[in-house]
Amino acid sequence: MNAGQKRDRGRLLTPEALRKLQQAIRVWEVRHEKKCTQERIKELTGEFKEGGLDPGTISKILKGKEGVDSESIRCLFQSFRLQLKETDLVAAIAFLAQGDPNFVGREGAIADLQTLTNQGTKVIVIQARGGVGKTTLARKYLQQEFGTFLEFPIAKETKDIASVESLIEEKLRQLGEEPGREFLVSIDRLKRKLQSERIGILIDNLEPALDSAGKLIEAHRRYVELLRVLADPMVRSLTLITTRERLREPSITVQPYLLRSLDVAAWETYFQSRNIATEGSALSALHNAYGGNAKAMDILSGAIAEDFSGDISVYWLVNQDDLLIERDLEDLVTTQFNRMQELDGKAYNLLCRMGCYRYQDVPRVPIEGLLCLLWDVVEGQRRRVIKALQDRSLVDCEGGEYWLHPVIRGEAIGRLRTSEDLETTNRKASKVWVESVKTIETIEDALRAFEAYYHCVEIKDFELASNIILAKRDNKWLSSSEFGMDLTCSLASSFSRLGLLQQIISSCSYLVDRINNEHSVNRLYAALGDAYWMVGNALKALESHEKSRKIASLHNHKELEIVALLDLGLCKEDLWEVEEAIGLYKDVILLSENTDYKRHAAQARYCLARLYSYLDSLEEAKFYIDQVWQDFPKIRLGIRSTGYRLYTLGFVSYYLGDTEKSLEMYGRAIEYAEQGKFVQLKAISLIGLAILYREQGKVSNSLSIHAEAIELLRSVGAKHNCAEAYYQLGLTYKAMDRNEMVDENLQKSIQLFIEIEAPKQAERVSRSLVAQKKEKP
């Protein structure tokens, strides 16, 4: 057996593959009505291998405790007509650490190291940020592979690094060799020793000996000679080097190995071994917050066990806002920051400035977001600064996007907030987000654009924050010639269109009392009212739109006052305060007809047509819908109003008995909503379509469409529309004579109307419920 085979301790079957093999053996026994002994198996394997497998090899495979070569396992599989897949096998060495409760989740890493070793690699550099488990992995692997190994310790601080001469002298004596009087003689004797014997070597924590470029510092350049010997192709040794920073010595051939953090399953195993319950979401939250860091896992488990009686949920509830509350964790992070500050001021500044990003709704930042933070670095050098952070494992990168783990980010933002860079950093970052989103077509676009808001709030520039929300952008996802509309809208309108209503409610509520520009305050209240209206909170919407109206009237903002009246009418309609809604819509027509704001009169007319249809006042409904048809080709509406006009034309056409036209307009409204990502518009148009199918007797189609609409409305929290959807679903079940489902859905509708404080709507549905109960036999 050669050295490579000796190092490869063979393969084991995975638990699933072993069960599959055992099941196949049992099937054979049942079929042949005899015991499948090892001698019998040996005979069966003879078909695929001369002489068959010996009983010892068969026993090792079936017990799953010792590794054998993969061809023997394949032969055994073939004997029972099974196909062996690569995923059925795992390196035997990967299982040797399973008995150690302190060493979890590293089977893959050990298998990777084994593969590199089998390929003849002489020096493997294990790189990761502090606390990931580099040293633990290296020692465990060398112990399992060699039993004992030599360790060349590198001091924690640069000033304490031992001379390579003294280290080599000490290691030669450990190997039973005498050092030479000169360094080159000693290094040559070490080389010959490593050529004659297979020896494991660990160089731990190399980064104090590296400069900002990743090279050995001038005072300890002779370490290069040691690394050159260890990397020599003729030596039989294996050297593992651990470091937080990239080693860049061109004359030395090493194999970098980037060690990933532990996955959540490893954390769960570790915590359970310490009798800490892991049910619920706290473990995943902790794992995510600390990036799977192995050192954090150890520190946290101790704190949870000692201070919180093993209750991980309580620990997370108490400490989730202070990720560095454990002193050992804080020291781990601050040490890395301090070293970066000492070695590379430009990279240190970038690291701190990157703390300005939240990494939440938009978890990764494009490279432009880093380049803009290097305003004090020559343009041609900026990417090198970013690379310096990557080489030190302090920033993560994938697909050209970057992010900081929460603990690193916590330290970065803490340092940024005490520096002079805070305001400039956030202004630069805010500008990048604004410029990176030209049009808002998707939720992802909207969230990226909204990141600029948080940067403005961080530096208390509330006026700029309001501009971020209210400034208009192009929307090129629909054809203006087809629908006749204004293709610009604010970020607030885009959020409403996409169903991101809570963000608008939160941000507008926060800003209205913090800015002085009355025009902006007016528009913020209007946006706030729209968002409240869309989630079904008509009372809050009324309050916001009334404030908007008063400000507009006070400052003679005629159009904003008209818009506020129109929105107040929508709120009154939702509350089923019909007469007041009609009055408000007519006021809008009166104030805006024959003015530059006549598009609002067009909106009010389709609202009146819809409302009169509800009331079965079909003559009035036809009067106003005819005007809407006349307005259609010549009056440009806003993006949302254009969609709701299509919906209303379908709605009123249904009440007027024009089913064909109703189907056409609902179809156009749904198409429009899908193109523009109008979740709510699509949902209410689906409800209209479901009603049409119900009236046509296609109740199964109606039910499925209702279900889709309700799911959409629930996803955006639109309680008013959802209540109406349940009401119409109940009527559909009534058409099917499924009375129990009628009761259930009408009750859901009533409950939602009560929740949004719309008692008259609840009364409307209750009357249907009472009528339903009277009809029951």
Side-chain angles (χ1 to χ4, degrees):
M1 181 177 290
N2 62 36
Q5 289 173 318
K6 187 176 181 180
R7 282 196 298 269
D8 185 353
R9 293 196 169 115
R11 298 291 181 268
L12 295 173
L13 286 171
T14 64
E16 294 79 9
L18 183 56
R19 282 194 293 270
K20 183 169 62 174
L21 176 59
Q22 291 168 340
Q23 184 178 6
I25 293 173
R26 285 194 292 273
V27 169
W28 187 94
E29 290 176 334
V30 171
R31 183 181 299 128
H32 293 85
E33 298 181 347
K34 64 175 71 172
K35 184 72 174 175
C36 194
T37 63
Q38 289 188 0
E39 286 300 326
R40 174 63 63 183
I41 295 175
K42 183 177 187 299
E43 292 176 12
L44 293 173
T45 58
E47 180 183 348
F48 301 95
K49 179 179 180 181
E50 187 177 353
L53 295 178
D54 67 79
T57 300
I58 295 169
S59 177
K60 287 179 181 180
I61 297 173
L62 294 179
K63 289 181 179 178
K65 293 184 178 179
E66 295 181 60
V68 301
D69 64 281
S70 58
E71 285 308 311
S72 294
I73 300 175
R74 190 179 309 280
C75 174
L76 184 55
F77 260 55
Q78 289 172 331
S79 301
F80 291 94
R81 303 301 184 258
L82 296 174
Q83 182 180 358
L84 183 68
K85 301 176 183 178
E86 192 62 34
T87 53
D88 292 329
L89 298 173
V90 66
I93 193 170
F95 283 87
L96 296 180
Q98 283 192 339
D100 184 354
N102 297 309
F103 190 68
V104 295
R106 289 304 185 198
E107 293 83 5
I110 284 188
D112 290 341
L113 295 180
Q114 185 69 53
T115 298
L116 293 173
T117 301
N118 292 342
Q119 292 171 351
T121 305
K122 302 302 179 182
V123 179
I124 302 173
V125 179
I126 303 174
Q127 183 186 347
R129 64 171 56 87
V132 169
K134 304 179 294 294
T135 302
T136 302
L137 172 65
R139 285 181 172 151
K140 181 64 67 174
Y141 181 78
L142 290 172
Q143 182 181 20
Q144 292 174 172
E145 187 72 1
F146 296 93
T148 60
F149 56 90
L150 295 179
E151 184 166 350
F152 288 78
I154 303 294
K156 295 293 184 183
E157 300 289 340
T158 302
K159 61 182 178 63
D160 298 326
I161 296 175
S163 69
V164 70
E165 293 89 346
S166 62
L167 279 177
I168 290 177
E169 287 179 9
E170 177 188 348
K171 301 310 170 187
L172 281 171
R173 290 193 174 96
Q174 288 181 19
L175 295 170
E177 299 287 334
E178 280 298 315
R181 292 183 179 180
E182 298 180 358
F183 172 70
L184 292 180
V185 175
S186 294
I187 200 80
D188 187 59
R189 289 178 181 176
L190 176 64
K191 181 177 181 179
R192 289 201 302 272
K193 188 70 175 179
L194 298 179
Q195 288 173 339
S196 63
E197 293 185 25
R198 188 166 178 270
I199 297 171
I201 295 170
L202 172 62
I203 298 177
D204 191 32
N205 190 40
L206 183 65
E207 67 270 8
L210 301 178
D211 63 17
S212 59
K215 295 185 176 183
L216 274 298
I217 57 178
E218 193 61 37
H220 293 283
R221 288 297 298 169
R222 280 195 161 180
Y223 271 91
V224 175
E225 294 301 322
L226 171 61
L227 295 179
R228 191 174 288 123
V229 165
L230 297 177
D232 190 289
M234 300 305 294
V235 301
R236 298 180 61 198
S237 62
L238 170 68
T239 301
L240 300 185
I241 299 174
T242 68
T243 178
R244 296 176 183 177
E245 302 171 10
R246 186 77 176 266
L247 172 63
R248 293 183 178 278
E249 282 289 350
S251 64
I252 302 168
T253 301
V254 300
Q255 175 63 54
Y257 181 74
L258 298 179
L259 181 62
R260 296 184 179 276
S261 296
L262 294 171
D263 61 23
V264 70
W267 273 48
E268 183 174 16
T269 299
Y270 189 84
F271 276 66
Q272 287 176 348
S273 73
R274 281 149 178 75
N275 297 317
I276 296 174
T278 55
E279 294 82 7
S281 61
L283 176 67
S284 294
L286 271 174
H287 175 269
N288 181 62
Y290 291 95
N293 188 282
K295 183 68 174 177
M297 177 182 72
D298 180 49
I299 293 170
L300 292 170
S301 66
I304 292 167
E306 293 176 17
D307 302 333
F308 289 82
S309 303
D311 194 324
I312 190 173
S313 298
V314 175
Y315 180 90
W316 177 242
L317 182 66
V318 172
N319 296 314
Q320 60 184 301
D321 294 326
D322 188 358
L323 298 181
L324 295 177
I325 191 169
E326 307 301 339
R327 183 58 183 270
D328 290 344
L329 282 174
E330 183 179 19
D331 291 344
L332 184 69
V333 175
T334 56
T335 298
Q336 296 177 80
F337 273 75
N338 292 342
R339 175 169 168 77
M340 177 62 71
Q341 187 176 19
E342 179 183 341
L343 280 182
D344 192 336
K346 293 175 182 177
Y348 169 78
N349 287 339
L350 176 59
L351 180 60
C352 294
R353 292 167 186 174
M354 283 183 69
C356 76
Y357 295 112
R358 301 185 318 129
Y359 311 101
Q360 293 177 27
D361 296 329
V362 183
R364 299 178 181 184
V365 179
I367 192 169
E368 291 79 11
L370 275 63
L371 294 172
C372 78
L373 302 183
L374 293 166
W375 65 83
D376 49 358
V377 176
V378 177
E379 187 170 344
Q381 298 294 317
R382 291 176 183 174
R383 291 180 184 267
R384 293 188 180 184
V385 177
I386 297 171
K387 191 67 169 61
L389 283 184
Q390 289 180 260
D391 288 346
R392 288 170 173 80
S393 306
L394 286 167
V395 60
D396 288 307
C397 174
E398 186 175 306
E401 295 184 314
Y402 300 80
W403 72 96
L404 299 179
H405 277 294
V407 173
I408 300 294
R409 194 258 175 182
E411 180 70 13
I413 190 62
R415 295 188 180 217
L416 176 62
R417 283 172 175 165
T418 60
S419 76
E420 297 178 354
D421 294 340
L422 180 65
E423 182 169 344
T424 303
T425 295
N426 279 286
R427 290 194 185 281
K428 296 280 187 182
S430 177
K431 185 178 179 183
V432 163
W433 290 123
V434 170
E435 293 178 349
S436 70
V437 183
K438 301 301 182 185
T439 63
I440 297 176
E441 302 178 18
T442 65
I443 288 176
E444 289 72 22
D445 294 337
L447 292 174
R448 287 172 73 87
F450 196 58
E451 286 297 306
Y453 161 83
Y454 294 106
H455 293 289
C456 298
V457 169
E458 174 69 20
I459 57 175
K460 296 181 171 54
D461 191 337
F462 302 122
E463 300 287 346
L464 184 56
S466 68
N467 289 342
I468 296 296
I469 294 173
L470 299 173
K472 290 199 171 186
R473 298 167 181 263
D474 289 337
N475 282 267
K476 299 177 181 178
W477 39 264
L478 287 165
S479 166
S480 60
S481 60
E482 179 181 357
F483 292 106
M485 62 181 175
D486 178 5
L487 283 177
T488 63
C489 70
S490 67
L491 182 57
S493 296
S494 295
F495 266 57
S496 296
R497 169 171 62 88
L498 295 165
L500 302 172
L501 302 171
Q502 292 304 322
Q503 288 93 329
I504 290 299
I505 290 172
S506 174
S507 58
C508 291
S509 298
Y510 182 78
L511 290 175
V512 287
D513 295 325
R514 289 176 168 82
I515 61 175
N516 298 316
N517 186 309
E518 291 295 340
H519 184 72
S520 295
V521 173
N522 191 339
R523 293 181 63 203
L524 286 173
Y525 272 123
L528 185 60
D530 281 347
Y532 277 130
W533 173 70
M534 294 184 77
V535 298
N537 194 333
L539 292 180
K540 281 283 190 181
L542 271 173
E543 180 183 337
S544 298
H545 286 309
E546 182 57 33
K547 288 179 178 179
S548 176
R549 187 198 66 77
K550 287 181 178 178
I551 294 171
S553 177
L554 181 63
H555 294 275
N556 199 29
H557 291 154
K558 190 72 173 178
E559 184 177 17
L560 293 178
E561 184 178 5
I562 292 171
V563 170
L565 290 172
L566 181 64
D567 289 329
L568 287 168
L570 291 170
C571 295
K572 291 293 186 180
E573 183 179 341
D574 278 1
L575 293 169
W576 209 239
E577 296 175 5
V578 177
E579 294 303 320
E580 292 182 54
I582 290 173
L584 286 162
Y585 291 146
K586 290 183 176 180
D587 286 345
V588 169
I589 294 172
L590 184 64
L591 290 171
S592 56
E593 196 70 284
N594 300 319
T595 70
D596 292 338
Y597 317 128
K598 58 185 177 182
R599 67 174 182 162
H600 302 305
Q603 291 173 264
R605 280 193 283 271
Y606 75 62
C607 289
L608 283 167
R610 181 183 64 242
L611 188 49
Y612 278 125
S613 297
Y614 261 129
L615 298 171
D616 282 332
S617 300
L618 299 185
E619 187 176 337
E620 288 87 347
K622 188 175 187 311
F623 171 78
Y624 284 108
I625 205 66
D626 285 346
Q627 294 184 47
V628 173
W629 281 113
Q630 293 172 21
D631 293 337
F632 194 87
K634 58 186 180 182
I635 295 185
R636 294 163 61 89
L637 299 181
I639 289 174
R640 188 176 71 184
S641 301
T642 297
Y644 278 88
R645 176 167 60 181
L646 294 170
Y647 161 75
T648 299
L649 287 167
F651 183 91
V652 178
S653 295
Y654 160 73
Y655 274 92
L656 294 177
D658 193 342
T659 302
E660 186 175 337
K661 180 59 69 176
S662 180
L663 278 170
E664 178 193 345
M665 300 315 295
Y666 278 143
R668 292 185 66 182
I670 291 169
E671 178 189 359
Y672 181 91
E674 288 176 341
Q675 288 184 45
K677 305 296 189 295
F678 281 92
V679 178
Q680 219 156 337
L681 173 62
K682 179 180 179 180
I684 63 173
S685 300
L686 286 171
I687 294 169
L689 198 58
I691 294 170
L692 272 177
Y693 282 133
R694 180 180 72 212
E695 296 301 314
Q696 294 173 349
K698 301 175 182 178
V699 288
S700 59
N701 289 345
S702 180
L703 288 176
S704 62
I705 294 172
H706 273 308
E708 182 183 357
I710 289 170
E711 185 62 30
L712 289 172
L713 292 168
R714 290 175 63 183
S715 73
V716 296
K719 289 186 177 181
H720 176 273
N721 296 130
C722 203
E724 184 65 25
Y726 278 123
Y727 173 57
Q728 294 298 336
L729 180 57
L731 296 182
T732 300
Y733 278 119
K734 183 177 181 180
M736 301 169 68
D737 291 326
R738 293 182 60 181
N739 294 329
E740 75 287 352
M741 297 304 295
V742 177
D743 290 354
E744 178 182 325
N745 284 282
L746 294 188
Q747 289 287 5
K748 286 181 179 179
S749 176
I750 292 168
Q751 182 59 40
L752 282 173
F753 277 130
I754 290 172
E755 285 181 20
I756 63 175
E757 300 182 70
K760 291 185 178 180
Q761 291 279 27
E763 288 173 16
R764 176 173 69 98
V765 180
S766 293
R767 286 194 292 271
S768 293
L769 185 59
V770 170
Q772 161 67 15
K773 290 180 178 179
K774 286 180 179 179
E775 292 174 7
K776 289 182 180 180

